[in-house]
Coordinates of all heavy atoms in Angstrom, one line a residue:
G356 N 43.1 15.3 35.8 CA 42.9 15.7 34.4 C 43.6 14.7 33.5 O 43.5 15.0 32.2
Y357 N 44.2 13.7 34.0 CA 44.9 12.7 33.0 C 45.0 11.3 33.8 O 44.9 11.3 35.1 CB 46.2 13.2 32.6 CG 47.2 13.5 33.7 CD1 48.0 12.4 34.1 CD2 47.4 14.6 34.4 CE1 48.9 12.5 35.1 CE2 48.2 14.8 35.4 CZ 49.0 13.7 35.8 OH 50.0 13.8 36.9
F358 N 45.3 10.3 33.0 CA 45.6 9.0 33.7 C 46.8 8.4 32.9 O 46.9 8.6 31.7 CB 44.4 8.1 33.4 CG 44.7 6.7 33.8 CD1 44.7 6.3 35.2 CD2 45.0 5.7 32.8 CE1 44.9 4.9 35.6 CE2 45.3 4.4 33.2 CZ 45.2 3.9 34.6
S364 N 54.8 6.7 30.5 CA 54.9 8.1 30.6 C 53.7 8.8 29.9 O 53.3 10.0 30.2 CB 56.2 8.7 30.1 OG 56.4 8.4 28.7
R365 N 53.2 8.2 28.9 CA 52.0 8.8 28.2 C 50.9 9.1 29.1 O 50.4 8.2 29.9 CB 51.6 7.8 27.1 CG 50.4 8.4 26.4 CD 50.0 7.5 25.1 NE 48.8 8.0 24.5 CZ 48.3 7.6 23.4 NH1 48.8 6.5 22.9 NH2 47.2 8.1 22.8
R366 N 50.3 10.3 28.9 CA 49.1 10.7 29.6 C 47.9 10.5 28.8 O 47.8 11.1 27.6 CB 49.3 12.1 30.1 CG 50.3 12.2 31.2 CD 50.4 13.7 31.7 NE 51.4 13.8 32.8 CZ 51.5 14.8 33.5 NH1 51.0 16.0 33.1 NH2 52.4 14.9 34.5
Y367 N 46.8 9.9 29.3 CA 45.5 9.9 28.7 C 44.6 11.0 29.3 O 44.4 10.9 30.5 CB 44.8 8.4 28.9 CG 45.7 7.4 28.2 CD1 46.6 6.8 28.9 CD2 45.3 7.1 27.0 CE1 47.4 5.7 28.3 CE2 46.2 6.0 26.3 CZ 47.1 5.3 27.0 OH 47.8 4.4 26.4
R368 N 44.3 12.0 28.6 CA 43.7 13.2 29.1 C 42.3 13.1 29.3 O 41.5 12.4 28.6 CB 44.0 14.3 28.1 CG 45.5 14.7 27.9 CD 45.7 15.7 26.9 NE 45.2 15.2 25.6 CZ 45.1 15.8 24.5 NH1 45.3 17.1 24.4 NH2 44.6 15.3 23.4
D369 N 41.8 13.8 30.3 CA 40.3 14.0 30.5 C 39.9 15.2 29.6 O 40.8 16.0 29.2 CB 40.1 14.4 32.0 CG 38.6 14.3 32.3 OD1 38.0 15.3 32.0 OD2 38.1 13.3 32.8
P372 N 40.6 20.2 31.3 CA 41.8 20.5 31.7 C 41.9 20.7 33.2 O 41.0 21.4 33.8 CB 42.3 21.7 31.0 CG 41.5 21.7 29.8 CD 40.1 21.1 30.2
Q549 N 34.5 10.6 18.2 CA 35.7 11.2 17.5 C 35.7 10.7 16.1 O 35.7 9.4 15.9 CB 37.0 10.8 18.3 CG 38.2 11.5 17.8 CD 39.3 11.2 18.8 OE1 39.2 10.7 19.9 NE2 40.6 11.3 18.2
G552 N 41.6 11.3 14.7 CA 42.5 11.4 15.9 C 43.2 12.7 16.2 O 43.5 13.5 15.2
I553 N 43.4 13.0 17.5 CA 44.2 14.2 17.9 C 45.6 13.7 18.4 O 45.5 12.8 19.3 CB 43.4 15.0 19.0 CG1 42.0 15.4 18.4 CG2 44.2 16.3 19.4 CD1 42.1 16.3 17.2
K554 N 46.6 14.4 18.0 CA 47.9 13.9 18.4 C 48.1 14.2 19.9 O 47.5 15.1 20.5 CB 49.0 14.7 17.6 CG 49.0 14.3 16.1 CD 50.1 15.1 15.4 CE 50.1 14.8 13.9 NZ 51.1 15.5 13.1
Q555 N 49.0 13.4 20.5 CA 49.3 13.6 21.9 C 49.8 15.0 22.1 O 50.7 15.5 21.4 CB 50.4 12.7 22.3 CG 50.9 12.7 23.7 CD 49.9 12.2 24.7 OE1 49.0 11.4 24.3 NE2 50.1 12.4 25.9
G556 N 49.3 15.7 23.1 CA 49.7 17.1 23.4 C 48.9 18.1 22.7 O 49.0 19.3 23.1
E557 N 48.1 17.9 21.7 CA 47.2 18.8 21.1 C 45.9 18.8 21.7 O 45.4 17.8 22.3 CB 47.1 18.5 19.5 CG 48.5 18.6 18.8 CD 48.3 18.5 17.3 OE1 47.2 18.2 16.9 OE2 49.3 18.6 16.6
R558 N 45.2 19.9 21.5 CA 43.7 20.0 21.8 C 42.9 20.1 20.7 O 43.2 20.6 19.6 CB 43.6 21.3 22.8 CG 44.3 21.3 24.1 CD 43.9 22.3 25.0 NE 42.4 22.4 25.3 CZ 41.8 23.5 25.6 NH1 42.4 24.7 25.6 NH2 40.5 23.5 25.8
Y559 N 41.6 19.6 20.9 CA 40.7 19.6 19.8 C 40.2 21.1 19.6 O 39.8 21.8 20.5 CB 39.5 18.8 20.2 CG 38.2 18.8 19.2 CD1 38.3 18.0 18.1 CD2 37.2 19.6 19.4 CE1 37.3 18.0 17.2 CE2 36.1 19.6 18.6 CZ 36.2 18.8 17.4 OH 35.0 18.9 16.5
N560 N 40.2 21.6 18.4 CA 39.8 22.9 18.1 C 38.9 22.9 16.9 O 39.4 22.7 15.8 CB 41.0 23.9 17.9 CG 40.5 25.3 17.7 OD1 39.3 25.6 17.3 ND2 41.4 26.4 18.0
L563 N 39.6 24.7 13.5 CA 40.7 24.4 12.7 C 40.4 23.1 11.9 O 41.3 22.7 11.2 CB 41.9 24.3 13.6 CG 42.3 25.6 14.4 CD1 43.5 25.3 15.1 CD2 42.5 26.8 13.4
A633 N 38.5 20.6 24.7 CA 39.0 19.3 24.5 C 38.0 18.3 25.2 O 37.6 18.6 26.2 CB 40.4 19.2 25.1
H634 N 37.7 17.2 24.5 CA 36.8 16.3 25.1 C 36.9 15.0 24.5 O 37.2 14.8 23.4 CB 35.3 16.7 24.9 CG 35.0 17.0 23.4 ND1 35.5 18.2 22.8 CD2 34.3 16.4 22.5 CE1 35.1 18.2 21.5 NE2 34.4 17.1 21.4
H636 N 39.3 13.0 24.0 CA 40.3 12.7 23.1 C 41.5 12.1 23.9 O 41.7 12.4 25.0 CB 40.7 13.9 22.4 CG 39.7 14.4 21.4 ND1 39.2 13.7 20.3 CD2 39.0 15.6 21.4 CE1 38.3 14.4 19.8 NE2 38.1 15.6 20.4
L637 N 42.2 11.3 23.3 CA 43.5 10.7 23.9 C 44.7 11.5 23.6 O 44.7 12.0 22.5 CB 43.6 9.2 23.4 CG 42.4 8.3 23.7 CD1 42.7 7.0 23.2 CD2 41.9 8.3 25.1

Side-chain angles (χ1 to χ4, degrees):
Y357 64 89
F358 172 80
S364 61
R365 177 177 180 177
R366 291 182 172 183
Y367 297 90
R368 297 168 301 170
D369 191 278
Q549 190 174 339
I553 303 297
K554 294 180 180 179
Q555 178 75 14
E557 291 185 0
R558 292 186 64 202
Y559 176 83
N560 188 336
L563 302 179
H634 52 287
H636 296 299
L637 305 182

